[in-house]
Amino acid sequence: MFPLHVTLLVLLANVALCQYYDYDYQPVSMLGPSGPNCNTECDCPINFPSAMYCDSRKLKFVPIVPTGIKYLYLQNNLIEEIKAGVFDNVTDTLRWLVLDNNHLTNAKIEKGTIDKLTALEKLLFSFNNITEPIIPPSKSLEELKMMNNKLSKFPSGLLTDKENLTSIHLQHNELTSEAIADAFKGPKKLLSLDVSYNKLKKLPAGVPNSLEMLYADYNEIDKIGAGYLKKLPALRYLRLSHNNLQDSSLPAGVFNVTSLVELDLSFNKLQSIPEINELLEQLYLQANEISKFDLASICKFTGPLNYSRLKHLRLDANNITHSDMPPESANCLRQASDIMFE
């Protein structure tokens, strides 16, 4: 059996690599006959009458949603607009709204649509053409996905009352650090924030201290504020690969926090191994400019109870080889099962 934290790590990695959400979707042929309380454009299986499947039908508009529908699947269509009134029957009952992979813009989403959904728990809006986030009034919102859009701003205050929001995915947009300043202050239960593939020059400000996963790969981040991670005592997974980090832009000990389990700093411009905490388990430093193995950055002291918990350390594609490891490394890295130099 694997330890729980390893199992969780694998699960999170799989989730991070997935572009599409698993909607508990079944092919129409497997849904069975449709019930009478359904729009003719869609299917509402008798054995799951609270769901309406309207996906992959070349629809150009959102059909009127009948009373009793809680889960609405509209992904993989040609939807260009949402007209007022289509959600009037489910304003306080619709829980899931899936609109991934359509042609929606902000201008074609009329008032009296998403802005009336007070019970929504999941809003999946990826692979569209919106430039500003669409946020429902629901205080029950738990998951927000707006990947692969054209978001260029995320005004502060939009999430102020979203106390149940745990997951935000905004990767592959056009967001800058200024555009998301204080955008994430509201959700007090936020666990996961992914802002990878944007135009950030620094990590997002004002994120809640509940955060456990922060992914900001493929940005333009060139510095991290002193004490930034100290304000996030629950943070376990931090990914900053493919940025512009240099030794001179990192305050001393900025990554030396006890909560971190995984730290990814690969594909940056680091010339030395940054100081880390002994409790860190996964460290990725490949494709930097590191030329020295400074063991003190990993283990301040070495003894029976003082050693690194690192299990995986990647140093490949640097200016360093296995022969650069000092002799006492074996005692410091006694739990490491994988150290890569090439």
Side-chain angles (χ1 to χ4, degrees), residues 261-312:
V261 172
E262 177 190 288
L263 176 61
D264 188 348
L265 299 173
S266 60
F267 294 89
N268 278 282
K269 300 176 181 179
L270 302 178
Q271 294 182 319
S272 61
I273 298 174
E275 179 185 336
I276 62 171
N277 193 271
E278 291 179 350
L279 297 179
L280 190 71
E281 297 180 8
Q282 320 283 338
L283 178 59
Y284 303 100
L285 292 169
Q286 68 269 27
N288 276 281
E289 301 169 7
I290 297 171
S291 56
K292 179 183 178 182
F293 197 107
D294 187 357
L295 195 62
S297 296
I298 301 174
C299 290
K300 290 289 184 183
F301 308 99
T302 302
L305 299 178
N306 299 104
Y307 57 91
S308 172
R309 272 61 173 184
L310 272 180
K311 297 179 180 179
H312 301 282

Side-chain angles (χ1 to χ4, degrees), residues 83-321:
K83 295 182 179 180
V86 295
F87 298 130
D88 282 0
N89 296 319
V90 293
T91 56
D92 60 350
T93 57
L94 191 64
R95 295 180 184 176
W96 289 20
L97 177 57
V98 182
L99 282 160
D100 291 345
N101 198 22
N102 279 288
H103 302 309
L104 286 163
T105 60
N106 292 84
K108 292 293 186 74
I109 302 173
E110 295 184 6
K111 291 183 179 180
T113 56
I114 295 176
D115 60 320
K116 294 179 68 175
L117 300 177
T118 60
L120 209 61
E121 297 173 358
K122 296 182 187 293
L123 177 57
L124 310 184
F125 217 106
S126 298
F127 294 90
N128 279 282
N129 297 308
I130 58 172
T131 56
E132 296 184 42
I134 308 297
I135 307 297
S138 173
K139 294 183 179 181
S140 302
L141 192 66
E142 298 175 357
E143 183 172 9
L144 180 65
K145 287 193 174 184
M146 294 186 174
M147 305 176 292
N148 294 82
N149 276 281
K150 298 178 180 179
L151 296 177
S152 58
K153 57 183 175 179
F154 200 118
S156 62
L158 290 181
L159 304 177
T160 300
D161 61 347
K162 303 298 183 278
E163 296 181 356
N164 292 298
L165 190 58
T166 60
S167 177
I168 301 175
H169 293 259
L170 298 173
Q171 54 266 46
H172 291 280
N173 278 289
E174 300 171 11
L175 295 167
T176 63
S177 296
E178 295 73 23
I180 62 172
D182 297 325
F184 311 113
K185 273 190 172 181
K188 303 301 182 184
K189 298 179 182 178
L190 191 64
L191 299 177
S192 174
L193 174 61
D194 195 335
V195 288
S196 301
Y197 293 91
N198 278 283
K199 299 178 180 180
L200 307 184
K201 290 189 176 295
K202 58 183 180 180
L203 289 172
V207 294
N209 60 14
S210 58
L211 201 67
E212 295 183 4
M213 292 165 280
L214 177 55
Y215 299 160
D217 303 307
Y218 289 91
N219 276 284
E220 302 166 11
I221 297 172
D222 56 12
K223 60 183 176 181
I224 298 178
Y228 181 92
L229 299 181
K230 298 287 187 182
K231 299 176 182 178
L232 300 174
L235 191 66
R236 293 173 59 81
Y237 306 93
L238 178 60
R239 296 182 181 176
L240 295 170
S241 71
H242 296 269
N243 279 287
N244 298 321
L245 293 173
Q246 302 181 45
D247 291 3
S248 59
S249 64
L250 297 179
V254 67
F255 299 118
N256 187 356
V257 290
T258 58
S259 63
L260 278 182
V261 172
E262 177 190 288
L263 176 61
D264 188 348
L265 299 173
S266 60
F267 294 89
N268 278 282
K269 300 176 181 179
L270 302 178
Q271 294 182 319
S272 61
I273 298 174
E275 179 185 336
I276 62 171
N277 193 271
E278 291 179 350
L279 297 179
L280 190 71
E281 297 180 8
Q282 320 283 338
L283 178 59
Y284 303 100
L285 292 169
Q286 68 269 27
N288 276 281
E289 301 169 7
I290 297 171
S291 56
K292 179 183 178 182
F293 197 107
D294 187 357
L295 195 62
S297 296
I298 301 174
C299 290
K300 290 289 184 183
F301 308 99
T302 302
L305 299 178
N306 299 104
Y307 57 91
S308 172
R309 272 61 173 184
L310 272 180
K311 297 179 180 179
H312 301 282
L313 172 60
R314 287 195 60 176
L315 286 163
D316 43 310
N318 279 286
N319 303 317
I320 192 172
T321 66

Side-chain angles (χ1 to χ4, degrees), residues 59-95:
L59 299 180
K60 292 189 176 182
F61 58 88
V62 174
I64 294 176
V65 185
T67 303
I69 298 302
K70 297 180 181 179
Y71 309 97
L72 180 57
Y73 302 93
L74 289 159
Q75 70 273 18
N76 304 327
N77 278 294
L78 306 172
I79 297 173
E80 298 176 349
E81 60 181 334
I82 304 178
K83 295 182 179 180
V86 295
F87 298 130
D88 282 0
N89 296 319
V90 293
T91 56
D92 60 350
T93 57
L94 191 64
R95 295 180 184 176

